[in-house]
Amino acid sequence: MRLQKFIPILVAVCLAAMLASSCKTAYQKVLEGPDADAKYNLAFSFFNSGKYNKAAQLFESVSLVLSGTERDDTVQYYWGLSNYRMSDYVTAEANFTKFIEHFPRSVFAADARFYRIDCLYRATLRYELDQTPTYKAMTAISEYMLEFPDSPHFSTADGMLKELEERLDRKAFENARLYYRMEDYKAAQVALRNVLKDDSENVFREDILYFTAMASYKYADMSVPDKQKERFLVFQDDYYNFIGEYPESRYREELDRLQAKVQKR
């Protein structure tokens, strides 16, 4: 009786298995099958038609079978490129890093190096967050530009590097300006001066000098009377430093007005 009870269930399971097997797509059959050539050819078919997810799975599946063959570097490169094209930059970067290590003389090596730095560039974070990925990307980009000065991607890499350098400059500037926003003007003076001490070519140099002068003025203005003269002289030094470098600055009118007030006092 118990066996008879389970017979309908067993029949149903068998039918479901048969149905699942018959419903497998050609893609699934090739992916799960042993035919390396079929996987290789179908992978390129999917890649060329923009179906990068399926292409990546097929390239990954065939990579072990074709390891050490003349098609090995092609499979590894297009596996990474498939992941790159579907915007999986973390996996693609790992693919290209492995490719560069194993196939430094491949015809795909230069392009793999570029796609790797592009993956690293895309993994960087906005300036308010941790900039460790930015430093990693900048190192890789600099090495790429030194190794491939004639690359068609050179100007793109140079643009990436400049943008990342500006991001670090902004982070340094904004961190220092935070003291100004908190109205801790003495700390702001020190922090802003240190930014230029560490990097005199910071792209926000004009803004840094402006906020340094403003912090000096406000620190003096809020001081007790017997300290004001000495501290306003610091502002005047900052003022003359600023207009000496940026006589046509958009900040000039405001600083001129403060300088006139200081002179009257």
Side-chain angles (χ1 to χ4, degrees), residues 75-94:
V75 169
Q76 296 291 341
Y77 174 73
Y78 278 94
W79 178 14
L81 194 57
S82 297
N83 285 317
Y84 176 87
R85 292 282 175 83
M86 64 182 187
S87 302
D88 184 356
Y89 300 117
V90 174
T91 304
E93 192 270 324

Side-chain angles (χ1 to χ4, degrees), residues 6 13 23 46 86 95 100 111 127 133 143 145 170 206 213 224-226 228 237:
F6 284 107
V13 170
C23 290
F46 280 128
M86 64 182 187
N95 288 142
I100 293 163
D111 285 335
Y127 77 88
E143 291 173 351
M145 293 173 68
R170 174 175 286 279
E206 179 181 352
V224 294
D226 63 340
Q228 285 187 328
D237 285 342

Side-chain angles (χ1 to χ4, degrees), residues 18-211:
M18 292 173 61
L19 182 61
S21 177
S22 64
C23 290
K24 279 186 179 180
T25 64
Y27 159 72
Q28 289 173 318
K29 289 179 181 178
V30 172
L31 179 64
E32 296 170 9
D35 191 334
D37 287 334
K39 291 183 182 184
Y40 183 86
N41 293 328
L42 187 58
F44 273 104
S45 177
F46 280 128
F47 181 87
N48 292 329
S49 61
K51 297 176 181 178
Y52 302 118
N53 185 35
K54 289 184 176 179
Q57 291 182 58
L58 285 164
F59 282 126
E60 180 179 8
S61 177
V62 81
S63 63
L64 290 176
V65 181
L66 296 181
S67 177
T69 70
E70 61 181 8
R71 291 186 287 181
D72 193 2
D73 66 329
T74 301
V75 169
Q76 296 291 341
Y77 174 73
Y78 278 94
W79 178 14
L81 194 57
S82 297
N83 285 317
Y84 176 87
R85 292 282 175 83
M86 64 182 187
S87 302
D88 184 356
Y89 300 117
V90 174
T91 304
E93 192 270 324
N95 288 142
F96 290 127
T97 297
K98 180 181 177 181
F99 179 91
I100 293 163
E101 292 173 355
H102 287 84
F103 308 103
R105 294 183 178 85
S106 168
V107 294
F108 304 115
D111 285 335
R113 289 287 296 272
F114 172 74
Y115 285 122
R116 176 178 178 260
I117 65 171
D118 192 38
C119 290
L120 291 171
Y121 166 77
R122 292 172 185 270
T124 58
L125 308 172
R126 63 181 190 268
Y127 77 88
E128 303 97 327
L129 303 177
D130 177 35
Q131 292 304 298
T132 300
T134 299
Y135 288 110
K136 182 179 179 181
M138 289 175 67
T139 299
I141 294 169
S142 298
E143 291 173 351
Y144 172 83
M145 293 173 68
L146 286 172
E147 189 169 349
F148 301 100
D150 299 321
S151 168
H153 303 300
F154 187 89
S155 60
T156 302
D158 187 49
M160 292 179 186
L161 188 60
K162 288 178 179 176
E163 182 181 333
L164 296 179
E165 287 172 344
E166 181 176 324
R167 188 179 304 174
L168 294 179
D169 284 355
R170 174 175 286 279
K171 185 175 182 67
F173 165 52
E174 295 293 352
N175 284 348
R177 188 166 65 155
L178 183 61
Y179 292 105
Y180 184 89
R181 290 175 172 170
M182 294 168 60
E183 300 183 0
D184 187 347
Y185 299 119
K186 183 176 182 180
Q189 284 178 297
V190 174
L192 290 163
R193 293 185 204 282
N194 282 340
V195 172
L196 294 183
K197 183 178 179 181
D198 294 337
D199 178 16
S200 62
E201 296 181 0
N202 188 298
V203 295
F204 298 97
R205 183 179 178 88
E206 179 181 352
D207 300 276
I208 293 168
L209 289 175
Y210 163 74
F211 280 104

